[in-house]
Amino acid sequence: QVQLVESGGGSVQPGGSLRLSCAASGIILNDHDMGWYRQAPGKQRELVATITRGGSVNYGDFVKGRFTIYRDNAENTAYLQMNSLKPEDTALYYCNAYRMWDNYWGQGTQVTVSS
């Protein structure tokens, strides 16, 4: 019933930008806190950004102001705007929605940053 579908990933050169989308069905996204996580080969999954229902945001230290998490409640979709991308940003990016005992994950979208 619940589904999170990520999109917007792809291949981009260093310094480029991508906007990742997380389209939700089966839940009202605005009723959940949201997060973006990423995992590169040989590395652990790490937090990229989170946003609570109240609008509080938190970013991984590596972001350095380059990424922005936000949501469009009318579209029931969350986004991650990624600017000034670096090769070390290359990873599978996952969308996460959580509230109380609920915790849902998408399948991930690949981001590759290379020359």
Side-chain angles (χ1 to χ4, degrees), residues 6-7 10 29 35 48 58 67 80 84 92 98 101:
E6 300 99 332
S7 61
L29 210 54
V48 178
N58 183 48
F67 296 177
L80 181 70
S84 301
L92 270 170
Y98 55 100
W101 298 105

Side-chain angles (χ1 to χ4, degrees), residues 44-57:
Q44 294 182 317
R45 183 174 297 184
E46 62 182 350
L47 182 148
V48 178
T50 60
I51 181 169
T52 69
R53 292 191 299 161
S56 298
V57 298

Side-chain angles (χ1 to χ4, degrees), residues 38 62 66-67 84-91 93 111 113:
R38 71 186 188 185
F62 54 84
R66 299 178 297 126
F67 296 177
S84 301
L85 284 163
K86 305 175 180 179
E88 52 263 42
D89 294 320
T90 296
Y93 284 72
V111 171
V113 185

Side-chain angles (χ1 to χ4, degrees), residues 33-109:
D33 298 337
M34 296 293 306
W36 285 95
Y37 295 77
R38 71 186 188 185
Q39 187 167 23
K43 294 185 177 295
Q44 294 182 317
R45 183 174 297 184
E46 62 182 350
L47 182 148
V48 178
T50 60
I51 181 169
T52 69
R53 292 191 299 161
S56 298
V57 298
N58 183 48
Y59 296 99
D61 292 338
F62 54 84
V63 171
K64 290 186 175 181
R66 299 178 297 126
F67 296 177
T68 303
I69 184 172
Y70 64 100
R71 52 171 119 220
D72 185 331
N73 294 329
E75 296 293 331
N76 209 33
T77 300
Y79 299 93
L80 181 70
Q81 179 66 48
M82 310 168 69
N83 300 322
S84 301
L85 284 163
K86 305 175 180 179
E88 52 263 42
D89 294 320
T90 296
L92 270 170
Y93 284 72
Y94 297 91
C95 177
N96 173 235
Y98 55 100
R99 181 180 67 90
M100 293 186 290
W101 298 105
D102 295 337
N103 192 357
Y104 306 106
W105 292 89
Q107 296 298 310
T109 185

